[in-house]
């Protein structure tokens, strides 16, 4: 069974990817420093996959620890690299924390497994596009000046990986540019676990609906969109997790060489108000919300062209916005009875 290192494997997307790796017959090896995840997720994963996955508590910024990992786990065939700081707003106030963590961790990892034919999947983001000039945005759209140090770390990391391949590395690399991951596993045993006040829309919606937040503020309704609120391409986290398995399968083909990049979204956009309406319709819960001022740094509208992912990655989404809202709500209700934070 091929061993796949999953850095950040106890996080939101990482944990869902661990499940899909097992479903696809891989053996996940979870690496996490627990800086933004709970060790209880390991127990939750055990309930879903039926065995306790290998877990190493390691800070990837610790060069010695990563070298030791490569000695402990030498027969790794693939690496899915999620581990990174990802709070857009925080990155503006603490840029060096983001550059240090997000680059040191990836560079230590790449060095530790250098010289081996590793299939490397990099967790990138649609944030590299900024506000695209043309929608839906394709992978060859110009990468705009990042709107945050967080976004910059994704752009620069992609360039680092391309340069490493160009220099003749034994790695193969696929970067996946995620749009907006939301929802939860249908067991409601894993899902998004924000620390403190959620920055992202959907956890704020579900926490408002369950009574943890007084009301949701819609950040602006004066944009050039169907109802004035921002448009995003929301993708179910389970579909997103499956895209990582597809990326490994693609790199396992002898004809795949070097580096490639794919948009991982649904190809459709939804406004904030449409998401709220869908949540209310699907759950039957009325959501207290009001319109507030725009949030600095928000792009007006972005959704992905997923033609390349469909045709070359042989992957496309199967779940819709109703599934996303229903599963996010089931997870929030589970958390209310079983605090995991
Ligand atoms: C979505 C929409 C908000 C909260 C960011 C990163 C991206 C990825 C996902 C890491 C926007 C609106 C939100 C609220 C609101 N992160 N909103 N009220 O900003 O599109 O993407 O998170 O990989 O890289 O850039 O996601 O969920 O924060 O916002 O009206 O209380 O919801 O203005 O239009 P975003 P988001």
């Amino acid at each position: 069974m091929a061993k796949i290192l999953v850095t950040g494997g106890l996080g939101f997307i990482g944990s869902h990817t661990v499940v899909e790796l097992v479903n696809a017959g891989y053996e996940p090896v979870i690496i996490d420093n627990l800086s933004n995840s709970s060790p209880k997720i390991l127990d939750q994963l055990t309930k879903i996959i039926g065995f306790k996955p290998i877990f190493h508590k390691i800070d990837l910024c610790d060069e010695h620890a990563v070298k030791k990992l490569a000695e402990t786990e030498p027969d790794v065939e693939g690496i899915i690299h999620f581990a990174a700081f990802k709070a857009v707003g925080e990155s503006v106030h603490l840029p060096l924390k983001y550059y240090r963590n997000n680059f040191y961790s990836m560079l230590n990892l790449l060095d530790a497994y250098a010289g081996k034919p590793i299939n490397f999947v990099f967790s990138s983001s649609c944030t590299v596009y900024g506000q695209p000039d043309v929608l839906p945005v394709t992978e060859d759209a110009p990468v705009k000046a990042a709107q945050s140090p967080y976004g910059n770390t994704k752009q620069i990391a992609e360039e680092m990986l391309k340069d490493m391949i160009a220099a003749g590395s034994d790695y193969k690399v696929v970067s996946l540019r995620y749009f907006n991951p939301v929802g939860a596993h249908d067991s409601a045993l894993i899902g998004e676990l924000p620390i403190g006040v959620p920055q992202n829309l959907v956890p704020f919606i579900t926490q408002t609906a369950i009574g943890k937040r007084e009301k949701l503020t819609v950040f602006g309704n004066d944009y050039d969109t169907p109802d004035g609120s921002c448009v995003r391409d929301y993708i179910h986290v389970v579909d997103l997790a499956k895209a990582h398995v597809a990326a490994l399968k693609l790199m396992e083909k002898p004809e795949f060489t070097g580096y490639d990049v794919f948009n991982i979204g649904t190809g459709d956009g939804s406004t904030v108000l449409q998401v709220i309406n869908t949540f209310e319709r699907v759950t039957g819960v009325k959501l207290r919300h009001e319109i507030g001022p725009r949030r600095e740094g928000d792009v007006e509208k972005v959704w992905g062209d997923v033609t390349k992912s469909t045709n070359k990655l042989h992957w496309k989404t199967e779940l819709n916005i109703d599934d996303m809202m229903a599963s996010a709500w089931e997870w929030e209700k589970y958390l209310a009875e079983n605090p995991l934070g």
Side-chain angles (χ1 to χ4, degrees):
M1 195 186 284
K3 265 189 179 181
I4 306 294
L5 224 50
V6 185
T7 74
L10 293 182
F12 175 37
I13 305 168
S15 56
H16 287 80
T17 302
V18 163
V19 173
E20 296 311 324
L21 284 170
V22 171
N23 291 343
Y26 291 99
E27 181 181 5
V29 175
I30 297 172
I31 310 300
D32 206 302
N33 68 357
L34 302 177
S35 68
N36 191 23
S37 56
S38 165
K40 293 178 184 170
I41 295 301
L42 204 52
D43 302 328
Q44 300 299 97
L45 283 170
T46 303
K47 292 174 196 165
I48 296 172
I49 62 180
F51 65 93
K52 189 164 189 174
I54 302 169
F55 166 55
H56 299 288
K57 183 178 180 296
I58 292 174
D59 182 346
L60 294 176
C61 288
D62 177 344
E63 189 178 350
H64 175 70
V66 180
K67 284 199 167 77
K68 200 160 170 319
L69 168 68
E71 290 159 14
T72 314
E73 301 289 356
D75 53 353
V76 159
E77 292 184 22
I79 297 176
I80 304 180
H81 181 47
F82 293 107
F85 292 153
K86 60 158 196 154
V88 174
E90 182 189 48
S91 77
V92 174
H93 304 295
L94 297 169
L96 298 188
K97 172 185 175 185
Y98 273 66
Y99 289 124
R100 183 176 301 107
N101 181 71
N102 292 7
F103 293 148
Y104 279 19
S105 54
M106 190 176 86
L107 290 170
N108 286 341
L109 197 56
L110 293 171
D111 283 346
Y113 284 91
K116 297 190 174 189
I118 296 282
N119 294 328
F120 190 92
V121 185
F122 176 61
S123 168
S124 191
S125 168
C126 65
T127 202
V128 303
Y129 297 118
Q131 175 58 64
D133 300 324
V134 177
L135 287 168
V137 62
T138 61
E139 289 86 351
D140 53 15
V143 169
K144 295 268 189 77
Q147 316 236 346
S148 68
Y150 159 76
N152 215 12
T153 66
K154 293 301 182 183
Q155 287 178 1
I156 296 168
E158 285 191 12
E159 292 306 314
M160 285 179 182
L161 291 165
K162 279 193 282 191
D163 289 346
M164 176 187 76
I165 294 296
S169 159
D170 293 300
Y171 280 87
K172 292 182 181 179
V173 175
V174 163
S175 288
L176 299 181
R177 291 175 178 169
Y178 308 156
F179 284 75
N180 286 60
V182 298
H185 190 260
D186 59 13
S187 65
L189 291 170
I190 54 174
E192 196 164 2
L193 206 53
I195 294 177
V197 178
Q199 299 304 304
N200 295 129
L201 176 65
V202 173
F204 208 107
I205 286 177
T206 57
Q207 287 193 11
T208 301
I210 203 121
K212 280 180 78 172
R213 306 289 162 205
E214 203 267 326
K215 65 179 178 307
L216 171 81
T217 302
V218 175
F219 296 144
N221 70 341
D222 57 350
Y223 289 100
D224 178 20
T225 64
D227 57 28
S229 61
C230 291
V231 176
R232 294 289 184 276
D233 182 339
Y234 296 95
I235 174 173
H236 197 295
V237 65
V238 171
D239 277 331
L240 174 57
K242 290 178 179 176
H244 295 77
V245 174
L248 289 174
K249 298 279 182 213
L250 179 66
M251 287 188 276
E252 286 163 5
K253 292 177 181 167
E255 60 270 24
F256 182 96
T257 56
Y259 179 89
D260 213 340
V261 58
F262 296 94
N263 282 341
I264 303 301
T266 64
D268 297 317
S270 301
T271 69
V272 175
L273 291 169
Q274 285 168 346
V275 171
I276 293 170
N277 292 340
T278 303
F279 179 83
E280 291 183 326
R281 172 173 53 77
V282 164
T283 64
V285 176
K286 196 89 185 83
L287 193 81
R288 287 183 309 284
H289 64 281
E290 66 178 13
I291 305 296
R294 292 183 173 194
R295 178 174 68 176
E296 197 184 341
D298 270 341
V299 299
E300 178 176 70
K301 48 195 169 191
V302 58
W303 64 95
D305 180 311
V306 293
T307 309
K308 185 179 174 188
S309 294
T310 306
N311 297 340
K312 187 169 180 189
L313 187 59
H314 310 298
W315 165 91
K316 62 181 181 178
T317 52
E318 299 161 22
L319 299 165
N320 61 30
I321 193 90
D322 286 26
D323 303 314
M324 295 175 216
M325 293 303 107
S327 60
W329 181 229
E330 290 310 309
W331 165 243
E332 190 65 60
K333 289 189 288 184
Y334 174 85
L335 280 179
E337 303 299 320
N338 311 271
L340 294 176

